[in-house]
Amino acid sequence: MTESAEQTVGLPVAAEAVDAARAMGQEAAAHRQADLIPILVRAGELYYQQDAPEIPDAEYDDLMRELVAIESAFPVLVTPDSPTQRVGAAPTGAFGEVVHGRPMLSLGNVFDEDELRAFDQRVRRGLGLPPAPAPAPELRYVAELKIDGLAISLRFERGRFVQGATRGDGTTGEDVTANLKTISVIPGRLREPATAVVRGEVFMPKAEFARINAAREEAGLPTYANPRNSGAGSLRQIDSRVTAERRLSSWTYQLIEDGPDGGPVVASQSEALARLAALGLPVNPDRAEGLDIDAVCRFLEEWREERHGLPYETDGVVVKVDRFDQQARLGVVARAPRWAIAYKFPPEQVETVMEDIVPYVGRTGTLTPVAHMRPTKVAGSTVARATLHNLDEVRRKDLRIGDWVVLQKAGDVIPEVVRSIPDRRTGAERLFEMPATCPVCATAIVRDEGSVRHYCPNPKCPARLSQEFAHFAGRGGMDIEGAGWSVLEQLLERGLVKTRGDFYRLTVDDLESLDRFARKSAENLKTSIERSRRRPLARVLNALGIPQVGEQTAIDLAGWIASRWPSEGTDAGEWTALVARSLPGVTAEELQEVPGIGPVVARAVAGYFADPETASVLADLVDAGVVAEPPARRVASGSGFAAEPLAGKTVVVTGTLAGFERSAAEEAIRAAGGKAAGSVSRNTSYVVAGENAGSKLAKATELGVPVLDEEGFRRLLAGEA
Ligand code: IVH
């Protein structure tokens, strides 16, 4: 079995096998996957660690192929712990191999300032410079944020992107060219006909991670632990349309380019970064150059908290000696350069009291134990709740109600209860048990044999309905101001709202009958309900809670609907009826025309609209007079979305605008076909600066990004700029 196990992980899988897996349906496939993973993990461990295979090679290969087929058919099922997702391992065979011209190195780590200063001393010694604190003006560092993603190497020939590969084992990586081409920030062509190898990191932005996890939750699947795993899994998809759906991004930080004399074109890391940006590659503007070690320490300090506000994850800072001649003198040892080091941010941990563990019924009936904690600030936000996933997890961590617990954010995003602190127990702590009956509808709770999941089997369980309705009335949906949880619960309990359309049939008298409501507050709520009756088509689509569809996909879908049925959009009221009439006939193939929608989302959307239950939901909304407004300023043409003044542009809004709330400004940008971003980089097309604009305005000026005032912004939206 010497070679075969290496080849098996992620074997190329025949299209027929993927089709066969698809035919099983997602639920059956998920069950089969749950069987396969432990068998393969165990077989792999026995083989690798003990050299004692338990099952024959051929069988192992077959089972692994079956798992890959299932995960290719249903990419939402891929979890970080699947044996198909082993990253950093030898190439798997599913992709072609790429031998790196120069090995892709890794970095040594340091975890505090003392260790970092020790690195500086080693560098000085290596270069024959005096030890600190003596000044060493000829030694300068570049500090870059360390991106927690997947390392990639891109080859450009005469300006054209020809090949991209993962790091693999550093010497040989996987050819993921087709998948990298789906990443919008990676240019197909450089601004100069340069021949070069460029290295960097592919990552999944935090917002995208949240979107995918929300979709998984909705599908009743376990959520991904962090953006890194789901980003890596997304890049190594066999079907690149699936990668395209995941909206990955990238920063580049290394340039290998030989000048006519055979030497490098640039002489330092800072010049290399400037040249990468000039070639049109994405370079992270959040960096600092020309630093001594004290300034490096200040950079770390500055980003320790600031990093939580970035739209992507960073787990540290990479510190590099700037000058290439000095880098060459320092050299490489054990696959890590002596001229660079990674400083890792400590994951911020806090202690708090877990006051309760409450089982929640999700939209799919799954019971999830949730820790309720004394609110505590961690990694940039206040946390009071954290999912404990399932009962097994509660037992494994020995968590008891009333315990002091250690809390952190997994991958700096998701609050996680790390462990209990048994030393602080008083004896008053209690064990948590799952309820025998649904806390909402009292149906007996079910736990399938061999599964960690408890669930309420009642499809009409009000817990499911109330979550669907909360989503409908919530911010990203119809945005009915004042319809919070307590109001919603009362409306459902009293039978005043039985369908979504019923919100629009409520009278002021109905509302006045609610607890703590008076005439005035009832009138106010009625006004906000009326105001929400008209919403952009994208918002109405999002409000429906279509599986796999979040805000961005709803926008993409609305744009496509508008271009597909252009003449029907004249009367705004027509759009709800149009969706009800036309969408049920749309196929998954047609939906894949929508930019940003791949096979997985397309199938989910087509399935949703084909469902008779959906037809009655839509008929009810039409009857209730819900008005979907057509997407703004989209004039259909033969080539899809024309007349989008901001197509392909990225706009950052900063400071306060007189005529727009921040969210309205961003919505206007998206409606005009542009992308609203949160931070300024060289890829930003415009910065719109209002009152009290701060660091983003400064960065725009520094990078030479055009800055507009509010008037300029309006002209831009109108297509006049
Ligand atoms: S430099 C010899 N710069 O971190 C140079 N690496 O822990 C090696 N990484 O394998 C890489 N951000 O995947 C460099 N700004 C950055 C980075 C970075 C993330 C990753 C990279 C590397 C790993 C080492």
Side-chain angles (χ1 to χ4, degrees):
M1 173 148 172
T2 31
E3 274 176 351
S4 57
E6 285 253 314
Q7 290 166 359
T8 45
V9 190
L11 281 168
V13 174
E16 293 87 320
V18 178
D19 288 343
R22 202 169 282 142
M24 292 166 82
Q26 182 166 316
E27 203 170 327
H31 285 127
R32 179 67 184 145
Q33 182 201 34
D35 291 344
L36 288 170
I37 288 178
I39 300 173
L40 288 165
V41 167
R42 184 170 157 74
E45 277 168 7
L46 286 173
Y47 172 69
Y48 285 111
Q49 292 158 20
Q50 299 162 21
D51 201 19
E54 193 178 44
I55 52 174
D57 298 1
E59 192 178 323
Y60 179 88
D61 289 1
D62 284 347
L63 295 177
M64 183 62 88
R65 267 201 204 91
E66 190 184 347
L67 182 60
V68 174
I70 285 174
E71 294 182 352
S72 307
F74 300 103
V76 287
L77 295 178
V78 179
T79 59
D81 56 358
S82 168
T84 63
Q85 301 298 303
R86 298 185 348 149
V87 283
T92 62
F95 299 94
E97 287 192 352
V98 175
V99 177
H100 299 301
R102 271 188 231 176
M104 287 181 78
L105 302 174
S106 55
L107 292 174
N109 291 321
V110 294
F111 297 92
D112 60 33
E113 203 181 298
D114 288 347
E115 289 177 4
L116 185 63
R117 288 183 185 276
F119 161 78
D120 177 55
Q121 294 294 24
R122 289 197 299 278
V123 168
R124 286 170 180 246
R125 210 177 316 120
L127 296 175
L129 297 171
E138 56 276 76
L139 171 61
R140 283 293 169 261
Y141 293 107
V142 175
E144 299 164 20
L145 293 178
K146 181 164 159 21
I147 308 306
D148 197 13
L150 191 71
I152 46 146
S153 184
L154 310 170
R155 204 150 56 77
F156 289 89
E157 275 171 17
R158 273 166 268 111
R160 286 169 54 106
F161 174 42
V162 293
Q163 190 177 56
T166 61
R167 178 173 183 278
D169 62 5
T171 307
T172 310
E174 291 170 318
D175 185 337
V176 286
T177 312
N179 290 348
L180 288 168
K181 281 184 178 165
T182 70
I183 300 177
S184 60
V185 298
I186 297 179
R189 202 178 267 279
L190 299 176
R191 293 195 190 130
E192 273 177 41
T195 293
V197 169
V198 171
R199 289 180 178 166
E201 205 81 0
V202 162
F203 58 92
M204 179 172 284
K206 289 178 188 169
E208 181 62 2
F209 173 67
R211 179 183 79 87
I212 287 174
N213 261 355
R216 287 179 68 84
E217 208 166 309
E218 195 158 313
L221 295 165
T223 46
Y224 284 123
N226 59 55
R228 185 181 186 282
N229 283 339
S230 65
S234 302
L235 189 62
R236 298 169 78 252
Q237 290 290 328
I238 293 165
D239 182 346
S240 56
R241 290 172 306 176
V242 174
T243 310
E245 275 179 285
R246 300 285 175 93
R247 301 188 177 115
L248 300 173
S249 191
S250 177
W251 294 126
T252 58
Y253 47 70
Q254 196 181 359
L255 175 66
I256 304 171
E257 181 186 22
D258 295 335
D261 59 352
V265 171
V266 291
S268 67
Q269 174 64 6
S270 46
E271 286 175 23
L273 293 170
R275 174 142 176 86
L276 287 168
L279 289 171
L281 288 154
V283 178
N284 193 339
D286 291 321
R287 62 175 191 268
E289 299 167 359
L291 312 180
D292 61 15
I293 198 66
D294 293 327
V296 171
C297 290
R298 286 196 294 275
F299 184 86
L300 307 180
E301 210 42 59
E302 182 189 328
W303 283 100
R304 195 186 312 282
E305 282 303 319
E306 278 281 310
R307 69 190 167 117
H308 300 305
L310 291 170
Y312 55 85
E313 286 222 325
T314 157
D315 60 343
V317 172
V318 181
V319 182
K320 300 174 184 175
V321 170
D322 193 21
R323 276 168 46 184
F324 284 170
D325 61 322
Q326 292 178 336
Q327 290 187 0
R329 275 167 62 199
L330 289 161
V332 172
V333 59
R335 315 214 96 197
R338 282 204 197 86
W339 46 265
I341 201 88
Y343 166 85
K344 292 293 211 50
F345 291 121
E348 194 192 335
Q349 292 193 335
V350 298
E351 294 182 4
T352 186
V353 177
M354 182 170 66
E355 290 163 340
D356 204 355
I357 298 178
V358 179
Y360 278 85
V361 189
R363 264 201 263 188
T364 54
T366 305
L367 242 68
T368 305
V370 173
H372 284 211
M373 288 157 299
R374 191 173 292 164
T376 319
K377 207 165 156 101
V378 56
S381 66
T382 300
V383 172
R385 306 264 160 108
T387 174
L388 300 174
H389 304 288
N390 54 58
L391 184 62
D392 288 20
E393 191 74 0
V394 175
R395 292 284 182 265
R396 196 177 61 75
K397 290 183 175 166
D398 185 24
L399 301 175
R400 303 186 193 172
I401 297 167
D403 264 344
W404 275 86
V405 293
V406 175
L407 180 70
Q408 72 176 24
K409 287 209 188 148
D412 266 339
V413 187
I414 298 171
E416 178 189 4
V417 176
V418 184
R419 58 186 172 85
S420 58
I421 310 172
D423 287 353
R424 296 186 77 163
R425 284 191 180 142
T426 62
E429 296 75 16
R430 286 181 293 123
L431 277 183
F432 166 77
E433 297 295 347
M434 277 291 189
T437 57
C438 174
V440 180
C441 71
T443 304
I445 292 300
V446 179
R447 177 181 194 167
D448 293 333
E449 180 77 29
S451 162
V452 295
R453 169 179 182 248
H454 289 77
Y455 63 96
C456 167
N458 175 11
K460 295 236 149 48
C461 175
R464 300 190 187 188
L465 281 187
S466 60
Q467 285 183 63
E468 285 168 7
F469 286 16
H471 175 77
F472 177 79
R475 282 264 193 83
M478 303 309 284
D479 195 9
I480 305 178
E481 206 183 315
W485 260 114
S486 74
V487 171
L488 204 67
E489 279 185 331
Q490 290 186 62
L491 291 171
L492 291 168
E493 256 166 40
R494 298 180 192 204
L496 290 169
V497 168
K498 293 202 187 72
T499 70
R500 293 168 178 81
D502 284 347
F503 281 106
Y504 297 97
R505 299 186 185 99
L506 290 166
T507 64
V508 175
D509 287 342
D510 290 336
L511 295 170
E512 203 181 342
S513 74
L514 302 180
D515 292 349
R516 289 189 301 278
F517 263 73
R519 193 75 194 165
K520 185 75 197 135
S521 42
E523 282 168 1
N524 287 345
L525 183 51
K526 178 70 186 159
T527 309
S528 71
I529 291 173
E530 280 311 312
R531 218 182 284 140
S532 79
R533 199 187 281 272
R534 284 184 93 82
R535 291 291 182 216
L537 177 57
R539 291 277 286 278
V540 177
L541 290 170
N542 193 39
L544 292 175
I546 305 167
Q548 302 272 3
V549 173
E551 279 182 52
Q552 185 60 49
T553 308
I555 291 165
D556 296 343
L557 199 54
W560 180 77
I561 293 171
S563 69
R564 171 137 177 184
W565 290 281
S567 58
E568 314 210 22
T570 43
D571 173 8
E574 268 292 275
W575 287 79
T576 317
L578 170 75
V579 170
R581 192 168 60 241
S582 305
L583 269 278
V586 167
T587 65
E589 285 67 41
E590 290 173 286
L591 284 164
Q592 282 189 52
E593 288 169 17
V594 184
I597 292 191
V600 178
V601 176
R603 271 197 300 278
V605 174
Y608 172 81
F609 281 107
D611 186 343
E613 177 68 28
T614 304
S616 70
V617 168
L618 291 170
D620 174 52
L621 291 180
V622 172
D623 177 75
V626 167
V627 177
E629 293 172 345
R633 300 185 198 293
R634 278 198 164 150
V635 181
S637 78
S639 61
F641 313 141
E644 290 182 322
L646 290 181
K649 301 271 194 276
T650 301
V651 185
V652 174
V653 180
T654 178
T656 314
L657 300 176
F660 295 87
E661 298 275 359
R662 174 68 56 86
S663 60
E666 291 176 353
E667 205 157 295
I669 292 164
R670 287 193 288 262
K675 210 175 114 197
S679 68
V680 180
S681 75
R682 280 173 211 274
N683 300 315
T684 309
S685 317
Y686 302 97
V687 167
V688 178
E691 285 287 308
N692 298 321
S695 63
K696 290 180 192 174
L697 176 56
K699 182 156 281 166
T701 317
E702 181 198 321
L703 296 176
V705 173
V707 176
L708 301 174
D709 60 8
E710 191 162 342
E711 184 49 38
F713 180 46
R714 285 183 194 282
R715 275 203 301 274
L716 187 70
L717 289 172
E720 295 162 12

